[in-house]
Structure formats: structure tokens, C-alpha cells
Amino acid sequence: IEKLRWEYKPITDFLEYALLKIRRQKHLVGDRSPFWRFIHDWPKEKTKRLADFVKGTYRFEPMMTYAMIDETITVWSYTDRLFMKSLLQIIKPFFKHIILPNCFHLSGPTGVKKALDFLNKAWEKEIFRYFLRIDIKNYYASINHQILIDQMKSHFKDPRVVKYLED
């Protein structure tokens, strides 16, 4: 897939929409949250960061790790989250050509219903007699990333997409 849309206007519009959603979610965030630094700096950095993103020279920041008593959480910076969401918007129209139709997790909240319908129909037709549902901790972290990158490169020829997905 080579023809991807990287125009400034749609990305800018999407960034503004995504930022509005983040602001609504974070309106009660504490005074020390990195969110406030992001909100303060975003208007000054937006134009340059968008230009870098479209050129393919944007660099993701290291992820932040927060250790708590019972768990450790690793998160992307707010700026990186915005650009990851933008990248998803750019490549999402091509999912139907890449991802199998029975990958129900991409259907959003209706995915569970679709998956259950699929399983019920298969069960009724006796296509299979058993199924296994598992949730492996750190599954995505344990995937062989080189295989994943090679598969991604076979679908996306745009060097910017390849770079960002590798990053």
C-alpha cells in the first residue's frame, strides 16, 4: 500500500479533535501532572512537530514509567499519543486489505458481540468442537518484533509509516 494521505489540513483537524477529547478527559488532573506542561507547550510546538511528522522526521520520546505499590504503568507522552492516533487515522483505511475479517477486536465495542456470533455459528455447524480464550500477560511485548516489522513492510511501502511503526 503506497498511497497514503499525509496532508496537513486533515492531520491538523484530527489533532485538534483528539486534543479536545484529551482535555475533556483530563480536566480534573492534578497540578503536577505532565498534562499541564503539554497543554502549555503544545501551541508553541504544534507547527514544528506537525511538519516533522509529515516529513517523517518526528522522534517519539522515551516512554514514562510510573511504579506503584501493586503495578507499574508505562505510558507515552501526550504529544506522542496525538501523533500515534494521527498515524492510525492515516493507515486505518487500509486495514480491510491487511487484517483478516475475523479479527473482531478492531470492531470496537461491538467486537465482542461479533466474535460471539461467529463462535455460535461455528459451534452450530460443528466447524470446531473446542476453543480456547487466553490472556497472556505481556503478550505484545513478547512478540518477535522483527517478524512483525517484516510483515508490516510487506504491506506499507511509505518510509514514514515504516519508520514510525518500527519506532
Side-chain angles (χ1 to χ4, degrees):
I1 298 168
E2 297 185 36
K3 190 160 183 143
L4 298 170
R5 299 188 67 194
W6 288 83
E7 293 102 17
Y8 282 91
K9 179 75 172 123
I11 296 173
T12 302
D13 291 346
F14 177 77
L15 286 174
E16 293 306 317
Y17 170 74
L19 183 61
L20 183 63
K21 281 181 67 174
I22 290 172
R23 286 187 89 128
R24 285 186 188 143
Q25 293 169 349
K26 300 293 183 178
H27 73 282
L28 296 176
V29 118
D31 295 348
R32 292 184 171 168
S33 170
F35 173 73
W36 298 115
R37 170 62 57 196
F38 163 73
I39 288 297
H40 179 266
D41 292 345
W42 178 248
K44 294 176 271 181
E45 297 176 357
K46 173 174 61 175
T47 304
K48 181 184 178 338
R49 294 211 181 202
L50 178 58
D52 288 345
F53 179 72
V54 171
K55 283 190 294 189
T57 58
Y58 179 79
R59 301 286 301 160
F60 293 110
E61 298 174 21
M63 294 179 76
M64 296 172 282
T65 301
Y66 300 97
M68 293 171 232
I69 294 170
D70 57 342
E71 68 179 319
T72 301
I73 299 173
T74 306
V75 296
W76 297 100
S77 73
Y78 289 101
T79 306
D80 289 351
R81 288 183 216 178
L82 281 177
F83 285 114
M84 284 183 213
K85 288 179 181 184
S86 297
L87 180 62
L88 178 60
Q89 287 300 111
I90 292 167
I91 66 174
K92 198 171 189 175
F94 300 97
F95 284 4
K96 62 185 172 230
H97 304 290
I98 299 170
I99 298 174
L100 297 172
N102 55 350
C103 288
F104 299 107
H105 69 288
L106 297 174
S107 300
T110 62
V112 172
K113 184 177 180 344
K114 289 178 182 178
L116 290 173
D117 288 344
F118 174 80
L119 290 173
N120 283 330
K121 287 175 186 170
W123 185 270
E124 289 167 6
K125 293 178 181 177
E126 296 185 9
I127 294 172
F128 56 83
R129 295 183 2 199
Y130 306 99
F131 72 92
L132 175 66
R133 184 203 180 278
I134 56 176
D135 188 9
I136 302 170
K137 188 174 183 171
N138 296 320
Y139 173 72
Y140 290 104
S142 68
I143 291 174
N144 182 322
H145 288 99
Q146 192 54 54
I147 292 172
L148 189 60
I149 288 168
D150 292 343
Q151 289 175 344
M152 177 263 311
K153 285 179 178 178
S154 73
H155 294 291
F156 293 103
K157 306 300 180 208
D158 188 313
R160 297 168 293 187
V161 171
V162 171
K163 176 198 174 295
Y164 292 140
L165 292 176
E166 281 182 318
D167 289 352

